[in-house]
Amino acid sequence: NPNLRPSRDYSTQLTYIFRQKYIFNVSYVYDKDVARQLGYLSPDSLVLIYKTLNWNYEKRFSVSSVIPVDFGSFLKSRLTLDGTYQQDKDNHYYNISFNRHKWFVYIGLNNSFKLSPSLQLNIDGNYISSPMQGMYDLTAMWGVSAGLKWTFARRNADLTLKGNDIFNTSYCNVHMNQGLQRLHMDFTPDNRYVSLSFVYRFGGYKAKEHKKLDTSRFGQK
């Protein structure tokens, strides 16, 4: 599209770290003249048009946190929570206009189980409620992945088996129901895969000695 205009993107965020492990974040993004592509159903013929156009703007306001939780040496977990408010606006999208806004949430949980000194199991899961993009409404998504790592040969070697998106649910379907723009796209992808990796760390490496940092002015010992 030769008529595209450059977008102007503004963002700011504030991050607070509590006790050096709990993270809290607030962010705001404003993209003026943002360029996006949506499907458009022609009113004159059975044609679905895809063309990148400038919108008036896209706004996002997010509040998120990362909370680690340890259950002794057996289980270490990290919980990620995010709530986002999004607003998309365009006054002249072909022959229509839209001004839509929506809240959606993201939840992620990473778990590391220490089964033995040499065996570690990782199970990760995530969920995102139905977000949107312009006139699109996207369905909710969730996924689970897992990995098993065996460390041996005097802790110099790692053998890792991973399974990604075990239940094949990390995708969304698209729906649009705005006036005469009525569209449903249902996908049937297969994002699952299994990988096996081997890492060996050769001995003999010695780290260089560096001058110790003087932290006395910070009141630390």
Side-chain angles (χ1 to χ4, degrees):
N1 182 1
N3 297 318
L4 284 178
R5 304 182 302 276
S7 66
R8 286 171 286 175
D9 308 332
Y10 306 92
S11 64
T12 183
Q13 69 174 0
L14 176 65
T15 302
Y16 175 66
I17 302 176
F18 179 62
R19 293 186 177 178
Q20 299 183 346
K21 62 178 182 178
Y22 301 100
I23 302 174
F24 302 93
N25 185 79
V26 178
S27 64
Y28 176 76
V29 177
Y30 176 75
D31 293 342
K32 182 176 176 57
D33 295 324
V34 63
R36 292 285 187 264
Q37 184 187 76
L38 296 176
Y40 174 76
L41 296 169
S42 171
D44 303 320
S45 59
L46 294 176
V47 176
L48 178 60
I49 302 171
Y50 282 98
K51 188 176 182 180
T52 302
L53 299 172
N54 290 107
W55 298 352
N56 289 69
Y57 60 76
E58 179 182 273
K59 294 180 181 179
R60 282 177 178 257
F61 172 75
S62 298
V63 179
S64 63
S65 62
V66 179
I67 304 173
V69 181
D70 296 342
F71 299 91
S73 60
F74 173 69
L75 172 60
K76 295 184 182 299
S77 300
R78 185 176 73 251
L79 177 64
T80 302
L81 302 172
D82 180 276
T84 298
Y85 173 82
Q86 179 176 333
Q87 182 181 9
D88 295 345
K89 180 179 180 179
D90 189 12
N91 290 331
H92 304 286
Y93 186 75
Y94 293 95
N95 62 341
I96 57 178
S97 64
F98 61 84
N99 183 4
R100 305 185 67 221
H101 50 86
K102 189 175 188 178
W103 277 97
F104 57 91
V105 299
Y106 169 85
I107 302 173
L109 183 61
N110 304 94
N111 303 284
S112 178
F113 300 87
K114 189 174 182 181
L115 305 180
S116 73
S118 60
L119 199 61
Q120 178 177 302
L121 173 65
N122 295 319
I123 300 178
D124 303 327
N126 62 80
Y127 168 83
I128 180 170
S129 64
S130 54
M132 73 168 196
Q133 182 180 3
M135 294 186 295
Y136 284 173
D137 287 304
L138 312 180
T139 57
M141 295 170 283
W142 64 277
V144 176
S145 299
L148 185 65
K149 183 172 74 172
W150 176 37
T151 304
F152 58 100
R154 297 181 179 179
R155 305 194 67 80
N156 290 323
D158 292 334
L159 185 65
T160 305
L161 177 67
K162 289 184 178 180
N164 180 71
D165 194 14
I166 297 173
F167 301 103
N168 193 37
T169 53
S170 295
Y171 67 92
C172 67
N173 295 320
V174 178
H175 305 287
M176 179 170 61
N177 187 4
Q178 302 293 318
L180 298 178
Q181 298 295 308
R182 300 189 179 187
L183 174 69
H184 299 275
M185 290 188 289
D186 296 328
F187 301 96
T188 56
D190 196 337
N191 299 317
R192 293 170 292 184
Y193 67 82
V194 176
S195 65
L196 181 66
S197 61
F198 174 75
V199 176
Y200 186 83
R201 293 172 289 275
F202 294 93
Y205 171 77
K206 293 183 179 180
K208 294 181 180 180
E209 294 185 1
H210 299 278
K211 183 178 179 181
K212 188 176 180 181
L213 181 66
D214 181 12
T215 60
S216 60
R217 64 185 183 278
F218 302 134
Q220 300 177 357
K221 295 182 180 180

